[in-house]
Amino acid sequence: MAETERSARERSFGRRLAHLGAAWRRQIDHDLRDFGLTEATWRPILYLGLLPPPVRQSDLARALEIEAPSLARLLDVLERRGLIVRTRDKEDRRAKLVRLSPGGQRIEHQVRQAADSVSARLLRDVTPNELQACYAVFDRIESALGAPRDADGAPIAETVAAGTVAALPCG
């Protein structure tokens, strides 16, 4: 590959990756519109279903890569809708713990099904080898970024999104 073609591809890689992530999330939004959920509300519900409960509000903000005040407003909405429960952390009175309510657990199941459906639809023509190669590239990029890793060496973002929505660009 010519040097100018390589540099052009490198310049467009991040932009294309971000575009794909946004388009992927819009597909999930579309599938969840009947539930009255938007990306802002379904992502916290999804992450609360993936993380062991209860989750510190600050940890959830970090996992979602959003600012704590923005998350607090989203959680206010979810709490008013009866989808989450927040309590004070007994170990740190300044911190709040968040968990899904029974109604939130039912919605989380719907969110996970929508994410799984979108993943299946969008990855239908991608071979297992192609997907494995893509993950290898993601791993190298995350390593270059100095992404934190769990005890098994997997990137934390992958650990959070483990299971049926591992391919979901939750960014």
Side-chain angles (χ1 to χ4, degrees), residues 25-34 37 42 121:
R25 290 187 304 270
R26 279 193 303 275
Q27 289 290 308
I28 296 170
D29 280 349
H30 179 268
D31 287 9
L32 290 171
R33 69 177 173 208
D34 292 340
L37 297 172
W42 65 255
R121 204 166 55 236

Side-chain angles (χ1 to χ4, degrees), residues 22-160:
W24 196 298
R25 290 187 304 270
R26 279 193 303 275
Q27 289 290 308
I28 296 170
D29 280 349
H30 179 268
D31 287 9
L32 290 171
R33 69 177 173 208
D34 292 340
F35 297 99
L37 297 172
T38 64
E39 180 183 342
T41 53
W42 65 255
R43 283 187 67 229
I45 290 170
L46 178 65
Y47 275 67
L48 285 168
L50 294 170
L51 297 167
V55 178
R56 274 198 176 154
Q57 194 165 308
S58 58
D59 292 338
L60 182 59
R62 248 187 315 284
L64 291 166
E65 298 180 348
I66 62 175
E67 297 295 322
S70 298
L71 178 62
R73 288 188 295 276
L74 287 173
L75 294 179
D76 288 343
V77 170
L78 295 175
E79 193 170 38
R80 280 194 301 273
R81 290 177 65 180
L83 300 177
I84 64 156
V85 175
R86 285 189 280 190
T87 56
R88 290 222 181 269
D89 187 340
K90 292 176 184 170
E91 295 176 19
D92 180 354
R93 292 182 20 189
R94 297 169 297 166
K96 288 190 179 175
L97 299 173
V98 186
R99 64 178 171 76
L100 292 169
S101 68
Q105 290 171 359
R106 286 189 295 279
I107 293 294
E108 187 272 334
H109 181 73
Q110 297 297 324
V111 170
R112 196 179 296 228
Q113 283 185 321
D116 288 349
S117 174
V118 168
S119 293
R121 204 166 55 236
L122 297 180
L123 296 173
R124 181 180 19 241
D125 296 328
V126 177
T127 69
N129 286 343
E130 290 169 327
L131 194 57
Q132 183 178 354
C134 188
Y135 267 94
V137 171
F138 288 168
D139 287 346
R140 282 194 227 138
I141 293 169
E142 286 173 332
S143 180
L145 289 168
R149 298 187 172 268
D150 68 14
D152 296 324
I156 297 293
E158 183 177 307
T159 302
V160 169

